[in-house]
Amino acid sequence: MATSSLGQTEINWDKLDKNKFYVLGAGIFTGVTVGLYPVSVIKTRIQVATKDTAEKSASSVIRGILKTDGVPGLYRGFGTVITGAVPARIIFLTALETTKVTAFKMVEPFNFSEPTQAAIANGIAGMAASVCSQAVFVPIDVISQKLMVQGYSGHEKYNGGLDVARKIIRIDGIRGFYRGFGLSVMTYSPSSAVWWASYGSSQRIIWR
């Protein structure tokens, strides 16, 4: 059973139409981001609000954004996020699938049950994919969050994502793009490992 699962995993990745795989994955991710991005803008503004800021709730932040910037204000930094997040998602999917094949080969000699093998291999792959993608996600987050709060509660104003990037490099160098990188890895890598491990083992149990 383990050999069969491993073989099937390798065949699926080798024969996969990569163009459709990446286009579909990027398309779905973009659609979800469009729907949820305003929530990120509102949450970020609430987090950076000072005690003197009048907008202290989600509803007041929404009203303030719509009053000053209209609907586009809910999508400040969106272009930067999509520009960087699509390549990051491609890196994630590639690392996930290729690492999964290697991980299955590593656990095969231990003769674990099929669900256990799937959990271990998918968990390793999920963690590795998250670490790889954070190398792109974190700089994009740093830039987009500065755009989300620009001009708000005393924060500096910028002329787009490139302007933010130039100022970060001038003040902090490349390291400025990776503020919070360690915490991001510590937060998202374990959760990615657990999610993919659960998915892989559940899939084997259900499809038996």
Side-chain angles (χ1 to χ4, degrees):
M1 290 287 276
T3 303
S4 173
S5 297
L6 174 59
Q8 186 65 40
T9 303
E10 291 179 322
I11 290 171
N12 284 346
W13 176 247
D14 291 340
K15 292 188 175 182
L16 184 68
D17 186 329
K18 305 297 193 302
N19 291 330
K20 289 183 179 179
F21 178 69
Y22 289 131
V23 169
L24 182 61
I28 293 173
F29 175 74
T30 301
V32 171
T33 303
V34 169
L36 297 179
Y37 192 80
V39 177
S40 295
V41 173
I42 295 164
K43 180 197 70 172
T44 302
R45 287 204 172 198
I46 291 175
Q47 289 174 335
V48 303
T50 64
K51 64 179 181 180
D52 298 324
T53 303
E55 300 167 351
K56 297 184 182 296
S57 66
S59 58
S60 61
V61 170
I62 294 172
R63 287 195 298 270
I65 292 174
L66 294 177
K67 182 178 179 179
T68 57
D69 301 313
V71 174
L74 295 171
Y75 286 89
R76 278 190 174 182
F78 181 76
T80 300
V81 168
I82 289 300
T83 300
V86 170
R89 184 58 55 178
I90 291 174
I91 291 171
F92 182 93
L93 294 173
T94 302
L96 177 73
E97 295 300 329
T98 53
T99 305
K100 195 186 300 181
V101 172
T102 303
F104 265 111
K105 291 179 180 178
M106 289 170 55
V107 300
E108 185 179 9
F110 294 98
N111 293 318
F112 294 131
S113 66
E114 190 176 343
T116 301
Q117 284 196 39
I120 295 173
N122 278 272
I124 292 172
M127 180 171 287
S130 179
V131 172
C132 292
S133 62
Q134 288 304 313
V136 178
F137 272 129
V138 170
I140 294 303
D141 273 346
V142 170
I143 294 173
S144 65
Q145 286 171 7
K146 286 182 177 292
L147 290 173
M148 288 177 188
V149 300
Q150 63 173 324
Y152 176 75
S153 191
H155 288 272
E156 185 177 356
K157 290 187 177 182
Y158 300 96
N159 187 26
L162 289 177
D163 185 38
V164 176
R166 283 193 295 266
K167 289 180 178 178
I168 289 175
I169 292 175
R170 189 178 72 243
I171 297 172
D172 299 316
I174 297 298
R175 292 179 61 183
F177 290 113
Y178 288 92
R179 285 185 172 179
F181 178 77
L183 289 175
S184 292
V185 170
M186 289 172 61
T187 301
Y188 295 112
S189 294
S191 62
S192 180
V194 170
W195 195 97
W196 285 103
S198 302
Y199 170 79
S201 60
S202 300
Q203 191 180 47
R204 296 308 191 280
I205 293 171
I206 294 170
W207 288 1
R208 272 184 172 180

